[in-house]
């Protein structure tokens, strides 16, 4: 397993390098000048030139990229153009909030999607199957921003069950933190729940049609044991694959969800960086996201071997 993980790490380096090239040059073609955003629309030309020189923005793009990449190899993501705060510190401050939101959204998705998919597969062709199929399709189709606004209107403004927006750290006030995270987690997890339900249903239907399942039925094994012990475990690999692939979707959805619910997380950091043309923050955030996707996909590969003993990595 360790040689495999090392090989995956080596294989990821060209991808991360390509991501660094794309994100660096794409951020530089964004309209707007960060110096003007710092000093105002009509800054003193001498002051503006001095600020631009101090930030290194007067150098050729290739020189800027080489300097950023060199600092990156030394573990330095640079400093925010806006206020000089180290980018690594900003990411470390915001990342736990988004990890909490993504984890709660994933739990919501599993709690809804997995049982729904199993019920739809076991009750194939019934009204339950139709209900799960149609609601899962609706969950995948409804945009996050629309669902979030509707949930705020219904559960906060009309019923008053939970606060509409805001964020309190978990270790400061756990109860209020969970109350504030209920709607964002449901908003973000709904689309993933729909995808999990559909993949669970299809994978389980395929497994339940196999010969060894019919043999188990002939031996008198109970239906619950067949589904939970033999069926669901063998159908787990496609479901785990979907979970891994959906991480990028969760991070992308977090940008919108955090804006709707005023959560100061990773996604909001991205939006603020775009509006203030804070190139170094944007580069650091995107590169960290790419690294997170790589780590999760590698973890999914490891899970394959744990779920199915026939899979071996060398």
């Amino acid at each position: 397993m360790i040689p495999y993980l090392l090989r995956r790490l080596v294989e990821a380096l060209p991808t991360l390098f390509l991501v660094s090239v794309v994100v660096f040059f794409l951020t530089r073609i964004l309209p707007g000048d960060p110096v003007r955003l710092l000093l105002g629309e009509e800054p003193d030309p001498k002051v503006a030139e001095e600020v631009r020189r101090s930030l290194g923005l007067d150098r050729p793009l290739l020189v800027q990229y080489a300097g950023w990449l060199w600092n990156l190899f030394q573990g330095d993501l640079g400093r925010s153009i806006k206020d000089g705060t180290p980018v690594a510190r900003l990411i470390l401050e915001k990342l736990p909030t988004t990890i909490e939101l993504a984890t709660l959204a994933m739990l919501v998705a599993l709690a809804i999607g997995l049982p729904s998919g199993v019920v739809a597969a076991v009750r194939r062709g019934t009204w339950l199957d139709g209900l799960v199929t149609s609601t899962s399709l609706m969950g995948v189709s409804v945009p996050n921003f629309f669902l979030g606004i509707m949930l705020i209107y219904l559960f906060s403004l009309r019923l008053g069950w939970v606060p509409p927006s805001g964020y309190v750290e978990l270790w400061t006030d756990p109860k209020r933190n969970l109350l504030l995270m209920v709607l964002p987690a449901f908003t973000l997890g709904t689309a993933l729940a729909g995808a999990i339900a559909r993949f669970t249903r299809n994978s389980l239907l395929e497994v339940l049609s196999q010969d060894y399942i019919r043999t188990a039925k002939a031996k008198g094994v109970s239906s619950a044991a067949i589904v939970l012990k033999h069926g669901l475990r063998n159908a787990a690999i496609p479901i785990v694959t979907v979970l891994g692939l959906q991480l990028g979707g969760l991070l992308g959805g977090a940008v919108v969800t955090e804006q709707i619910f005023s959560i100061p997380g990773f996604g909001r950091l991205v939006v603020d960086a775009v509006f203030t043309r804070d190139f170094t923050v944007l580069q650091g955030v995107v590169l960290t996201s790419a690294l997170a996707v790589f780590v999760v996909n590698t973890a999914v590969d490891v899970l394959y071997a744990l779920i199915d003993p026939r899979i071996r990595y060398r």
Side-chain angles (χ1 to χ4, degrees):
M1 182 62 78
I2 292 178
Y4 169 76
L5 294 176
L6 291 175
R7 192 170 68 250
R8 283 294 304 266
L9 182 61
V10 172
E11 290 172 353
L13 292 178
T15 304
L16 293 175
F17 173 72
L18 187 61
V19 170
S20 74
V21 172
V22 171
V23 69
F24 182 88
F25 288 100
L26 279 183
T27 54
R28 291 308 194 276
I29 64 173
L30 283 174
D33 183 358
V35 175
R36 283 182 177 274
L37 290 172
L38 285 173
L39 302 178
E41 281 300 317
E42 296 182 0
D44 185 299
K46 290 184 178 178
V47 175
E49 188 60 30
E50 180 62 27
V51 172
R52 187 169 282 104
R53 190 190 62 76
S54 66
L55 294 173
L57 298 175
D58 60 333
R59 296 179 296 174
L61 278 181
L62 284 177
V63 176
Q64 291 183 42
Y65 174 71
W68 177 65
L69 199 61
W70 175 249
N71 290 333
L72 202 61
F73 277 119
Q74 301 177 71
D76 182 8
L77 291 174
R79 289 180 175 273
S80 165
I81 293 176
K82 181 181 174 184
D83 55 17
T85 307
V87 174
R89 186 197 298 172
L90 286 173
I91 291 174
L92 289 175
E93 286 175 357
K94 305 295 183 184
L95 193 56
T97 305
T98 300
I99 289 177
E100 181 192 358
L101 175 60
T103 303
L104 291 174
M106 187 70 80
L107 292 176
V108 169
L110 286 172
I112 297 174
L114 208 55
S116 302
V118 172
V119 169
V122 173
R123 301 295 182 189
R124 181 184 185 185
T126 65
W127 66 271
L128 273 174
D129 184 18
L131 179 65
V132 170
T133 303
S134 56
T135 52
S136 62
L137 182 61
M138 188 172 67
V140 173
S141 306
V142 175
N144 281 349
F145 68 89
F146 177 76
L147 180 61
I149 292 171
M150 289 297 102
L151 290 177
I152 289 175
Y153 175 75
L154 178 61
F155 292 105
S156 298
L157 302 183
R158 298 290 294 180
L159 299 175
W161 289 355
V162 289
S165 63
Y167 179 75
V168 176
E169 291 177 341
L170 181 62
W171 46 85
T172 302
D173 189 344
K175 182 180 177 183
R176 184 159 181 81
N177 172 271
L178 290 177
L179 282 175
L180 287 166
M181 295 298 273
V182 167
L183 295 186
F186 193 81
T187 301
L188 194 56
T190 301
L192 183 55
I196 290 174
R198 293 173 69 83
F199 271 87
T200 302
R201 176 187 180 276
N202 295 337
S203 300
L204 198 54
L205 282 176
E206 185 177 347
V207 171
L208 293 178
S209 65
Q210 299 297 315
D211 289 340
Y212 66 88
I213 295 294
R214 283 192 284 270
T215 302
K217 288 179 180 176
K219 287 182 177 179
V221 179
S222 67
S223 298
I226 288 175
V227 172
L228 298 177
K229 186 177 178 181
H230 301 288
L232 199 54
R233 180 170 183 177
N234 289 300
I237 287 184
I239 301 169
V240 171
T241 304
V242 172
L243 289 175
L245 293 175
Q246 288 295 322
L247 175 74
L250 280 181
L251 291 175
V255 174
V256 177
T257 306
E258 288 175 2
Q259 285 296 308
I260 294 172
F261 293 96
S262 301
I263 298 174
F266 211 53
R268 199 167 179 186
L269 184 64
V270 172
V271 174
D272 290 343
V274 170
F275 279 119
T276 57
R277 307 297 185 271
D278 203 335
F279 301 141
T280 49
V281 172
L282 199 54
Q283 291 160 194
V285 169
V286 174
L287 204 59
T288 305
S289 302
L291 190 61
V293 171
F294 163 73
V295 170
V296 170
N297 282 318
T298 304
V300 167
D301 287 346
V302 173
L303 274 178
Y304 288 162
L306 296 177
I307 294 171
D308 190 344
R310 293 171 298 180
I311 298 176
R312 290 283 185 272
Y313 296 114
R314 298 177 180 174

